[in-house]
Amino acid sequence: MEIFRGKRLWIEKRTIRLPHGIEKEKVIVHPNNAVAIFPVDKDHCKLLKQYRFAIDQYIYEAPAGTMEQGEDPKETAHRELIEETGFTAQSIVSKGFIYTTPGFTDEKIFLFEARNLSPSDEFGKDEDEIIEVMDIPISDLPGMIRDGTIVDAKTICLIHHCLG
């Protein structure tokens, strides 16, 4: 049974049969899939200091965004990188994907590393995003994760996938 349908997600309640045979009623959130991009410029990367209304605070995170209907993940990564940072990349390489919170959603975020950056204004920023682009030394990232400066899960996963 559909509970809610919006532009970017829908929510349903349904009875599922678990692998061991028990049936349970569950609520599942189905957002559009998304991308996250790790833009690297020599020994620095570009992270966003972005206001997030759901937690009412600014956090550091990788540029990211929702895939449009029928859009290829790499196309989305190209578009979102420009929208959020004002830079394009000569090289955008897939680094796999993650499921964000599979306990209640099927959301998948495709991970990309972007290199050879140059300024671009092909796409404008979204009006509801409050973003400051930060140049961060790559050598600072592990410490920023350890000390809680970077707490965004997709960003932590992306850094791990790109830096090992």
Side-chain angles (χ1 to χ4, degrees), residues 1-24:
M1 165 181 65
E2 189 171 299
I3 297 171
F4 171 81
R5 184 172 292 272
K7 181 180 176 190
R8 300 217 181 257
L9 69 89
W10 65 284
I11 303 169
E12 72 170 320
K13 184 191 292 186
R14 73 176 182 209
T15 301
I16 60 159
R17 180 178 299 276
L18 298 169
H20 62 314
I22 294 176
E23 287 189 354
K24 288 285 187 179

Side-chain angles (χ1 to χ4, degrees), residues 50-61 148-154:
Q50 184 166 2
Y51 177 75
R52 291 300 193 174
F53 70 88
I55 57 174
D56 190 27
Q57 63 184 10
Y58 286 86
I59 62 171
Y60 286 92
E61 60 185 291
T149 302
I150 298 174
V151 295
D152 178 62
K154 73 180 174 304

Side-chain angles (χ1 to χ4, degrees), residues 109-125:
I109 297 182
F110 295 89
L111 308 175
F112 292 91
E113 182 175 358
R115 291 192 176 264
N116 301 318
L117 306 178
S118 59
S120 174
D121 60 2
E122 182 181 354
F123 301 103
K125 290 187 178 356

